[in-house]
């Protein structure tokens, strides 16, 4: 049995069993919230004194004590007592130890139910800013690559079959679009979580004359929550955040899948530098894209975090239930994983080179400009369905004779359709196919350059 007295000991005759203390404790992971817990407590004590619920003298002692504790914790000199149930109790107990009875007034008009909601909102608000910064950095890296690879042509794929030539820059910008949407989603998520929960207390609010807008102002929340029951039961912001993190992991994972393929001998499109690859313990020739594979693997783990939180919530009766303590490990894991992956991926990308000659060669094969021939016929007035069939026949015969469009002379083309003219020869070149797609969203060099400029305009402000 532990010596330390529980704050809720009044109701109990027996001490808590040691293994129950261990089982119910969240201190080993929620201690990372200490900064936010103290920040929230300082604001709460300030408000309590402003409202004359506690004296200014007591508030001053509380705040001084909390700042001292924060100082020790920041230095890593604070010794946690594993018998404490969570970070809230650890800090409150220490505070009372340091400043005496004034410390016992801090928890007035507050419950750990609204306190934990506050800590997590403050934590996530700060972490979101950090993740947005990483997403911006990744977009900047993609724009840099899009600029340096502006003349690199690659085969675009559908069904993993060569489809149409595109600029490698267009490919990079496709991911820039995804990461920019992720950034916007985080902004939305932050808006919804940026609401003060403190004051909901256990679930029904308090009879004491608190001023929630004052606390909100002190903690820089633009709004206070509107329903005390919702406030202590709500973990939507965690689910929402992990969903956004999952989607970012999906984007990273898809990018990684391409890089894994591209760095194979079969493709030979990309070369990830030695410093960002690993070797094999048996095969001396191997240089493996392990970072890309691990990111792909870690996407699975963040999805697991999302399912953990959704499953945790689905059957919970209103309002707070202790199950909710299990929300933090998946959240922390998702935060840490997405941050790690975004930052290492951005670095790896900066240390990857792309083989333009190999890509061009691949883009030239596989009849990747067949659609251009069909569009040529459309311009001559042939209905698209018919044009599709004509070009289909040309391709089928070229495949049989192991030839390509480049092997066809004008008279060969004219056997399929009399309206072909000499300019068809240039239409089947990858660079002309690309530059023909000059509408908004297309892969023409001018359009891609324009989108690069738009991205730069947005990103340079960040
Ligand atoms: N450690 C708890 C959690 O993470 C804090 C709230 C505890 N509330 C309670 N009534 N036991 O959810």
């Amino acid at each position: 049995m532990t010596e330390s007295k529980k704050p809720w000991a009044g109701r109990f005759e027996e001490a808590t069993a040691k293994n129950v203390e261990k089982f119910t404790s969240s201190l080993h992971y929620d201690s990372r919230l200490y900064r936010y817990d103290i920040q929230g407590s300082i604001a709460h004590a300030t408000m309590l004194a402003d409202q004359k619920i506690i004296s200014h003298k007591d508030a001053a002692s509380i705040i001084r004590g909390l700042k001292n504790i924060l100082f020790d914790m920041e230095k890593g000199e604070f010794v946690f007592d594993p018998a404490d149930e969570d970070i809230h109790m650890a800090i409150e107990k220490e505070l009372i130890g340091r400043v005496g009875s004034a410390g016992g007034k801090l928890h007035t008009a507050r419950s750990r139910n609204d306190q934990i909601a506050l800590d997590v909102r403050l934590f996530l608000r700060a972490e979101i800013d950090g993740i947005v910064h990483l997403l911006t950095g990744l977009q900047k890296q993609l724009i840099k690559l899009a600029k340096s690879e502006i003349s690199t042509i690659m085969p675009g794929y559908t069904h993993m079959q060569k489809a149409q030539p595109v600029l490698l820059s267009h490919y990079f910008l496709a991911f820039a679009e995804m990461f920019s949407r992720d950034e916007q989603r985080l902004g939305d998520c932050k808006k919804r979580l940026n609401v003060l929960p403190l004051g909901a207390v256990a679930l029904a609010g308090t009879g004491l004359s608190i001023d929630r807008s004052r606390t909100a102002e002190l903690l820089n929340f633009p709004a206070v929550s509107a329903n005390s029951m919702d406030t202590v039961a709500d973990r939507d912001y965690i689910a929402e955040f992990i969903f956004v993190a999952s989607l970012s992991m999906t984007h990273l994972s898809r990018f990684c899948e391409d890089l894994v393929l591209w760095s194979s001998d079969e493709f030979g499109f990309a070369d990830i530098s030695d410093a960002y690859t690993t070797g094999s313990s048996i095969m001396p020739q191997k240089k493996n894209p392990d970072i890309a594979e691990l990111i792909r693997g870690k996407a699975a783990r963040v999805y697991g975090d999302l399912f953990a939180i959704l499953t945790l919530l689905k059957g919970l009766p209103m309002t707070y239930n202790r199950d909710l303590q299990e929300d933090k490990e998946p959240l922390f894991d998702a935060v840490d994983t997405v941050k790690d992956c975004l930052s290492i991926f951005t670095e790896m990308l900066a240390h990857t080179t792309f083989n333009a000659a190999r890509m061009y060669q691949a883009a030239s094969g596989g009849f990747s400009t067949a659609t251009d021939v069909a569009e040529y016929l459309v311009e001559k007035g042939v209905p698209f369905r018919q044009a599709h069939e004509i070009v289909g026949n040309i391709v089928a015969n070229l495949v049989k004779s192991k030839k390509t469009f480049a092997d066809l002379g004008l008279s060969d083309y004219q056997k399929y359709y009399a309206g072909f003219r000499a300019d068809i020869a240039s239409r089947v070149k990858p660079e002309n196919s690309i530059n023909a797609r000059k509408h908004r969203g297309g892969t023409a060099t001018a359009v891609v350059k324009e989108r690069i400029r738009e991205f730069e305009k947005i990103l340079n402000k960040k």
Side-chain angles (χ1 to χ4, degrees):
M1 296 294 148
T2 176
E3 298 308 312
S4 74
K5 193 170 158 249
K6 300 276 184 279
W8 33 258
R11 157 78 177 77
F12 290 76
E13 283 170 10
E14 281 181 79
T16 319
K18 245 320 174 235
N19 56 352
V20 172
E21 271 182 356
K22 190 162 182 282
F23 184 76
T24 54
S25 174
S26 52
L27 188 61
H28 58 287
Y29 53 84
D30 68 16
S31 56
R32 82 184 264 181
L33 295 171
Y34 72 86
R35 203 174 290 137
Y36 306 105
D37 198 75
I38 291 176
Q39 188 191 355
S41 289
I42 290 175
H44 183 63
T46 306
M47 180 279 291
L48 289 177
D50 287 353
Q51 292 300 103
K52 305 195 168 31
I53 297 169
I54 65 171
S55 70
H56 279 288
K57 191 163 164 278
D58 283 341
S61 307
I62 289 171
I63 292 167
R64 187 174 18 88
L66 288 169
K67 286 186 174 165
N68 280 333
I69 295 170
L70 179 64
F71 185 77
D72 292 350
M73 287 181 167
E74 295 283 17
K75 273 203 301 188
E77 280 174 9
F78 189 88
V79 186
F80 284 101
D81 177 355
D84 288 334
E85 200 176 291
D86 53 32
I87 185 62
H88 323 301
M89 286 189 167
I91 292 174
E92 191 184 327
K93 187 180 83 181
E94 181 68 18
L95 179 70
I96 295 170
R98 291 193 189 192
V99 308
S101 65
K105 297 188 178 177
L106 172 62
H107 212 51
T108 310
R110 189 176 70 173
S111 153
R112 282 182 297 154
N113 298 353
D114 59 349
Q115 190 177 357
I116 188 61
L118 174 69
D119 292 7
V120 173
R121 282 173 191 256
L122 289 172
F123 162 81
L124 201 47
R125 187 169 77 174
E127 291 292 349
I128 283 177
D129 289 345
I131 297 167
V132 162
H133 183 72
L134 290 171
L135 283 166
T136 305
L138 175 50
Q139 288 169 71
K140 285 183 175 167
Q141 180 56 37
L142 287 168
I143 298 309
K144 199 170 158 194
L145 280 168
K147 284 171 85 171
S148 61
E149 299 290 344
I150 193 67
S151 47
T152 305
I153 293 174
M154 63 171 273
Y157 295 85
T158 62
H159 313 272
M160 216 42 229
Q161 308 286 317
K162 257 172 228 174
Q164 289 169 342
V166 288
L167 286 183
L168 176 57
S169 303
H170 198 49
Y171 174 93
F172 289 137
L173 290 187
F175 279 99
E177 303 287 350
M178 295 178 222
F179 294 119
S180 130
R181 288 196 297 273
D182 291 344
E183 198 183 313
Q184 292 167 31
R185 274 184 205 99
L186 281 179
D188 284 347
C189 175
K190 184 174 161 182
K191 255 184 251 157
R192 271 183 291 280
L193 78 79
N194 207 8
V195 171
L196 176 84
L198 221 55
V201 197
L203 78 162
T206 174
L208 298 166
S209 61
I210 56 170
D211 178 357
R212 299 187 68 204
S213 43
R214 173 79 179 122
T215 318
E217 179 190 42
L218 290 166
L219 292 169
N220 208 11
F221 281 108
V224 300
S225 65
N227 180 303
S228 61
M229 293 179 80
D230 172 45
T231 304
V232 294
D234 175 28
R235 295 293 183 274
D236 290 2
Y237 47 98
I238 297 183
E240 196 174 342
F241 168 80
I242 307 180
F243 169 72
V244 179
S246 297
L247 209 49
S248 290
M249 290 302 300
T250 306
H251 297 149
L252 284 176
S253 184
R254 292 183 76 169
F255 207 149
C256 285
E257 170 64 14
D258 279 340
L259 289 178
V260 169
L261 281 173
W262 290 7
S263 53
S264 69
D265 188 48
E266 287 74 3
F267 271 81
F269 286 1
D271 183 30
I272 306 170
S273 83
D274 286 6
Y276 291 84
T277 47
T278 55
S280 156
S281 58
I282 170 168
M283 296 167 283
Q285 85 283 13
K286 292 290 292 268
K287 187 172 118 167
N288 295 327
D290 286 27
I291 294 178
E293 291 169 289
L294 275 169
I295 292 175
R296 219 169 45 186
K298 283 172 193 288
R301 157 190 186 130
V302 177
Y303 301 170
D305 295 329
L306 178 62
F307 274 84
I309 192 77
L310 291 173
T311 314
L312 180 71
L313 295 173
K314 76 175 273 289
L316 279 194
M318 285 286 271
T319 54
Y320 179 85
N321 300 270
R322 191 64 178 272
D323 317 40
L324 289 174
Q325 180 165 293
E326 291 290 316
D327 63 357
K328 276 166 283 301
E329 283 174 298
L331 172 65
F332 295 162
D333 184 68
V335 165
D336 295 341
T337 307
V338 77
K339 276 166 68 182
D340 271 2
C341 291
L342 282 169
S343 86
I344 194 102
F345 182 83
T346 306
E347 263 183 57
M348 178 177 73
L349 209 52
H351 292 84
T352 300
T353 53
F354 298 88
N355 188 333
R358 185 76 185 239
M359 284 186 161
Y360 185 83
Q361 185 197 24
S364 308
F367 305 97
S368 68
T369 51
T371 316
D372 296 80
V373 182
E375 287 180 354
Y376 178 91
L377 295 177
V378 166
E379 285 165 24
K380 304 278 176 221
V382 181
F384 182 76
R385 269 296 144 241
Q386 201 186 328
H388 189 289
E389 198 179 337
I390 293 170
V391 183
N393 285 331
I394 301 177
V395 170
N397 289 329
L398 286 172
V399 169
K400 269 184 223 144
S401 56
K402 296 197 168 43
K403 285 184 177 155
T404 70
F405 287 130
D407 300 314
L408 295 178
L410 180 58
S411 58
D412 301 316
Y413 275 113
Q414 284 173 338
K415 276 183 210 137
Y416 295 93
Y417 178 72
F420 273 113
R421 294 290 172 264
D423 59 347
I424 185 60
S426 72
R427 293 292 288 268
V428 294
K429 291 200 173 121
E431 49 275 39
N432 294 333
S433 164
I434 279 168
N435 286 322
R437 288 157 169 76
K438 51 187 184 296
H439 51 79
R440 172 86 177 158
T443 187
T445 309
V447 179
V448 171
K449 280 185 173 167
E450 173 61 21
R451 190 63 185 138
I452 290 175
R453 276 194 293 277
E454 288 173 6
F455 263 109
E456 279 184 317
K457 230 170 138 183
I458 300 166
L459 293 169
N460 286 343
K461 284 188 216 135
K462 290 180 180 168

